Amino acid sequence: MPNHFASYPSLAERTAFVTGGADGIGAAIVQQLAAQGSRVAFVDKNVDYAQRTIERCVAEGAAHAPLFYEVDLLDIAQLQGACESAIADLGGVTVLVNNAASDDRHDWRDISVEYWNERMNVNLRHYFFAIQALAPQMIEARLGSIVNIGSSSYMMQEDFFPGYAIAKSAVEGITRTMARTLGPHNVRVNTVLPGWVPTERQLTKWWSPEGERATMNDQALKKRITPEEFAQMVLFLAADDSGGCTAQQFLVDGGRF
Ligand SMILES: NC(=O)c1ccc[n+]([C@@H]2O[C@H](COP(=O)([O-])OP(=O)(O)OC[C@H]3O[C@@H](n4cnc5c(N)ncnc54)[C@H](O)[C@@H]3O)[C@@H](O)[C@H]2O)c1
């Protein structure tokens, strides 16, 4: 990759686990970590796109091809199995990026109990259980960085996907609660919040000229924030350079607030 971004010596050979790494922001995070020389494992339900991510990492000259485990994150036993495999295959995991989510649109009047549970499970529950599965060996290593990808949608009061925005608001609760729990063991927990990052899915499913105009009007920066730019904040938080930061949330949103 013609990468003009920073290199982090502490990320070389570091072991990382990323959820939702097949597409969008998660794929950029996998690729950017791999470009730093990290040893990365990722989970996703999209096997074809996972293969594409691995091929891109290899084509870009990554020292280690990422490992992939097919997981539907609605199934916590599958996630726990993949965490165990990653610990065994990588010899431990000291970076966790909780990223996978689903921003499907819906009206608050139509939310059934089943759909409410599904929205919480796809956008929130697996974040906690990935931490539960991976934190014990971070505690043992006295080294860990957990980065939870949130969303500024609830701060913007966006009202077209309440089951998503409400779940995303609780990502901040996971970060602050677990930062206090894990801090004494030198395990850090932070949130990074995208504003609008036009991924393939965003552009295919939700893009409209009016939507983009409104976003540009809101943003101080009048440009699209790329997944690669977004990933840089994740790299910084994964690296030892951010060793003093925990329990924080960082916006990468082009200055909407
Ligand atoms: N792109 C944006 O503008 C934006 C804005 C705000 C927040 N975010 C947040 O950024 C993160 C990444 O978003 P994105 O835009 O890259 O999304 P995306 O839809 O492009 O990618 C999500 C990835 O997660 C995977 N995934 C979804 N459900 C899964 C499941 N049940 N099991 C396994 N894998 C599953 C998908 O297959 C996909 O690879 C999410 O946490 C999202 O809430 C994105």
Side-chain angles (χ1 to χ4, degrees):
M1 172 190 350
N3 202 339
H4 55 282
F5 297 121
S7 293
Y8 293 98
S10 63
L11 290 182
E13 301 300 322
R14 192 140 288 185
T15 50
F17 186 94
V18 181
T19 67
D23 198 12
I25 288 172
I29 293 169
V30 169
Q31 285 175 245
Q32 293 288 316
L33 281 167
Q36 296 280 336
S38 301
R39 294 189 292 127
V40 186
F42 69 101
V43 292
D44 208 291
K45 61 180 182 183
N46 189 332
V47 178
D48 291 343
Y49 276 30
Q51 194 51 42
R52 188 179 69 172
T53 300
I54 295 168
E55 281 162 13
R56 284 177 178 170
C57 292
V58 171
E60 286 159 5
H64 308 285
L67 306 179
F68 169 65
Y69 312 104
E70 182 182 356
V71 166
D72 183 345
L73 290 159
L74 291 172
D75 183 336
I76 295 301
Q78 278 186 31
L79 169 64
Q80 289 165 330
C83 289
E84 273 174 37
S85 298
I87 292 168
D89 295 343
L90 297 175
V93 170
T94 54
V95 173
L96 163 63
V97 184
N98 275 318
N99 163 77
S102 159
D103 64 352
D104 288 350
R105 275 48 174 167
H106 52 272
D107 188 282
W108 66 277
R109 296 171 195 83
D110 299 331
I111 296 178
S112 62
V113 170
E114 290 72 27
Y115 192 59
W116 171 268
N117 288 340
E118 192 270 346
R119 290 292 88 190
M120 296 302 132
N121 293 349
V122 77
N123 288 310
L124 180 66
R125 184 175 67 169
H126 60 88
Y127 277 48
F128 175 78
F129 283 99
I131 295 173
Q132 189 192 57
L134 293 172
Q137 43 89 54
M138 293 183 187
I139 291 171
E140 223 169 278
R142 287 202 63 76
L143 177 71
S145 176
I146 296 166
V147 183
N148 295 320
I149 309 305
S151 168
S152 58
S153 51
Y154 75 95
M155 299 160 81
M156 302 278 297
Q157 303 175 17
E158 289 177 338
D159 61 355
F160 40 81
F161 43 20
Y164 168 81
I166 293 167
K168 282 293 184 176
S169 72
V171 168
E172 183 55 6
I174 293 186
T175 291
R176 292 193 61 78
T177 304
M178 296 312 294
R180 179 61 60 168
T181 304
L182 299 174
H185 307 284
N186 195 36
V187 177
R188 303 181 288 110
V189 192
N190 291 287
T191 305
V192 187
L193 303 160
W196 184 54
V197 179
T199 57
E200 209 174 301
R201 176 177 149 95
Q202 292 291 319
L203 292 171
T204 315
K205 290 199 80 169
W206 316 126
W207 183 86
S208 69
E210 311 79 61
E212 178 146 7
R213 262 197 302 277
T215 302
M216 290 307 141
N217 197 38
D218 287 346
Q219 288 184 191
L221 297 174
K222 308 301 178 191
K223 63 167 197 174
R224 292 179 170 187
I225 308 303
T226 67
E228 290 72 28
E229 282 173 321
F230 180 84
Q232 300 315 306
M233 182 61 88
V234 178
L235 293 191
F236 171 69
L237 290 170
D240 291 350
D241 301 61
S242 58
C245 303
T246 196
Q248 301 307 307
Q249 64 174 15
F250 299 88
L251 281 156
V252 182
D253 70 342
R256 283 172 107 169
F257 290 91

